[in-house]
Amino acid sequence: MHAMRLNAPHTPLQWTELPDPEPGPGQIRVKVGACGVCRTDLHVVDADLPFPGHSLTPGHEIVGRIDAIGPNVTDLHIGQRVGIPWLGHTCGHCHYCETGHENLCDHPLFTGYTRDGGYATMAVADAHFTFPLPEGIDDVATAPLLCAGLIGWRSLVIAGKEAQSVGLYGFGAAAHIIAQVALWQGRKIYAFTRPGDTRTQDFARSLGATWAGGSDELPPEQLDASIIFAPVGALVPAALKSVHKAGRVVCAGIHMSEIPAFSYDLLWEERQLVSVANLTRQDGVDFLELVPRVGIRTKTTAYPLREANRALDDLRHGRFEGAAVLVP
């Protein structure tokens, strides 16, 4: 097999030939058809997340077909189409696992970070942490659903069913997916982009956003909730300004730059500031069941696997709309 490997933080990924991995007990091996390029991958490469101390293969928005099955796997079969997400394994016995919060497990494994991921021609995963996928949907179009879609869904759920007007800060992979869900649910979407990014603002309006503008602007009305996808701490006070009394601001990223000090009046009147961490398997089941009902269409830019460094750099500098996807 071949993979794009990260050998040290702040260095380009290297095209590497590796032995074909063998699935262990409870595991499957997948021939990768596509792997999305997530902002979390940038946080891994740029060491915003602590480097695990060994070479690794990034990537956790994996779509592929099972080509090998380890012992004790009974509910999946060779040739089946599956998706592999960020959460790759949990201990099953810590307080969080036992109380329905496996996304907060004390001893997890994360695909493309603490275990090898999908910037490769093959990937191994725990069978219980994969999602069977239907036929008939292109692998490239499906890949962003496995993290951008899932974390967007969890963020929208946490924003609350009562939130009928929702601001989305950072209108990239996650926002353009979850905006379609929110609009299908009858909500109004307000899109916040980098100041002056009229192309992305036009893209948001084309999807049905009620309003689109720069993150340095206030929306034309106060909102019920706002979700911050961009990893920019300065957006926290801006988002708090955007919501009315009892409004909720959801921080959706795994990493964010330092949040500046802000006056208490921005939080007062029972506004809430919460974060989202990882996902649960139930999030995946719930969201993927919605995908065909909503008719979600992802906007993607495909790159050959060997060009993973270019895809990451284009993501870093906002050179495309929607999501980037690697194709072996």
Side-chain angles (χ1 to χ4, degrees), residues 309-326:
N309 290 308
R310 180 166 69 90
L312 286 165
D313 194 59
D314 286 352
L315 173 59
R316 185 182 284 111
H317 292 97
R319 297 191 182 111
F320 55 78
E321 296 169 353
V325 180
L326 301 178

Side-chain angles (χ1 to χ4, degrees), residues 2-4 15 31-37 58-59 61-64 118-122 138-144 300-312 323-328:
H2 289 89
M4 292 295 289
W15 179 258
K31 183 178 180 181
V32 177
C35 184
V37 179
E61 296 179 325
I62 307 168
V63 177
Y119 286 18
T121 55
M122 291 181 175
D138 179 72
D139 287 352
V140 171
T142 303
T300 58
T301 301
Y303 297 77
L305 177 60
R306 281 182 177 266
E307 296 185 19
N309 290 308
R310 180 166 69 90
L312 286 165
V325 180
L326 301 178
V327 181

Side-chain angles (χ1 to χ4, degrees), residues 54-106:
H54 55 78
S55 297
L56 63 97
T57 303
H60 57 275
E61 296 179 325
I62 307 168
V63 177
R65 291 189 182 274
I66 299 172
D67 75 343
I69 292 179
N72 306 323
V73 177
T74 59
D75 53 349
L76 298 172
H77 58 82
I78 298 293
Q80 187 170 0
R81 188 169 184 255
V82 296
I84 303 173
W86 169 249
L87 186 63
H89 175 82
T90 60
C91 71
H93 55 72
C94 71
H95 167 76
Y96 300 103
C97 287
E98 291 182 343
T99 56
H101 301 283
E102 67 179 7
N103 59 308
L104 302 177
C105 174
D106 284 332

Side-chain angles (χ1 to χ4, degrees), residues 6-12 43-54 56:
L6 178 66
N7 296 316
H10 306 293
T11 63
H43 295 319
V44 171
V45 171
D46 294 344
D48 295 323
L49 300 178
F51 185 65
H54 55 78
L56 63 97

Side-chain angles (χ1 to χ4, degrees), residues 3-217:
M4 292 295 289
R5 299 280 284 176
L6 178 66
N7 296 316
H10 306 293
T11 63
L13 305 182
Q14 299 295 317
W15 179 258
T16 307
E17 183 174 357
L18 299 167
D20 291 354
E22 294 298 330
Q27 295 183 332
I28 60 169
R29 186 179 71 195
V30 167
K31 183 178 180 181
V32 177
C35 184
V37 179
C38 180
R39 187 163 293 277
T40 300
D41 301 333
L42 272 183
H43 295 319
V44 171
V45 171
D46 294 344
D48 295 323
L49 300 178
F51 185 65
H54 55 78
S55 297
L56 63 97
T57 303
H60 57 275
E61 296 179 325
I62 307 168
V63 177
R65 291 189 182 274
I66 299 172
D67 75 343
I69 292 179
N72 306 323
V73 177
T74 59
D75 53 349
L76 298 172
H77 58 82
I78 298 293
Q80 187 170 0
R81 188 169 184 255
V82 296
I84 303 173
W86 169 249
L87 186 63
H89 175 82
T90 60
C91 71
H93 55 72
C94 71
H95 167 76
Y96 300 103
C97 287
E98 291 182 343
T99 56
H101 301 283
E102 67 179 7
N103 59 308
L104 302 177
C105 174
D106 284 332
H107 307 285
L109 290 175
F110 297 115
T111 309
Y113 181 40
T114 54
R115 67 163 32 168
D116 285 337
Y119 286 18
T121 55
M122 291 181 175
V124 168
D126 284 15
H128 291 311
F129 287 82
T130 61
F131 299 115
L133 297 174
E135 302 290 345
I137 305 176
D138 179 72
D139 287 352
V140 171
T142 303
L145 302 177
L146 271 300
C147 185
L150 287 175
I151 208 69
W153 169 248
R154 186 170 180 85
S155 299
L156 186 63
V157 169
I158 289 177
K161 291 182 179 179
E162 69 282 0
Q164 292 302 300
S165 58
V166 181
L168 302 178
Y169 283 80
F171 204 85
H176 96 283
I177 293 171
I178 212 59
Q180 296 175 61
V181 177
L183 291 164
W184 177 79
Q185 292 175 332
R187 311 188 201 213
K188 293 193 294 183
I189 288 297
Y190 296 73
F192 297 83
T193 72
R194 295 177 182 180
D197 187 357
T198 57
R199 184 183 69 172
T200 302
Q201 292 164 18
D202 289 342
F203 175 48
R205 283 188 286 266
S206 76
L207 290 177
T210 296
W211 175 90
S215 59
D216 57 344
E217 301 178 55

Side-chain angles (χ1 to χ4, degrees), residues 216-232:
D216 57 344
E217 301 178 55
L218 286 173
E221 60 179 329
Q222 285 191 301
L223 309 177
D224 297 328
S226 282
I227 303 171
I228 303 175
F229 292 111
V232 181

Side-chain angles (χ1 to χ4, degrees), residues 248-321:
R248 184 174 296 171
V249 172
V250 181
C251 299
I254 194 171
H255 170 81
M256 181 178 278
S257 60
E258 187 170 342
I259 299 172
F262 56 86
S263 60
Y264 178 63
D265 63 289
L266 292 182
L267 188 61
W268 190 56
E269 295 175 317
E270 300 194 356
R271 292 175 179 87
Q272 299 175 46
L273 178 63
V274 298
S275 70
V276 167
N278 312 313
L279 68 143
T280 68
R281 284 172 286 181
Q282 191 61 48
D283 291 328
V285 171
D286 294 343
F287 174 68
L288 293 172
E289 188 273 334
L290 271 182
V291 169
R293 293 169 57 194
V294 176
I296 291 173
R297 296 290 182 267
T298 56
K299 184 173 179 60
T300 58
T301 301
Y303 297 77
L305 177 60
R306 281 182 177 266
E307 296 185 19
N309 290 308
R310 180 166 69 90
L312 286 165
D313 194 59
D314 286 352
L315 173 59
R316 185 182 284 111
H317 292 97
R319 297 191 182 111
F320 55 78
E321 296 169 353

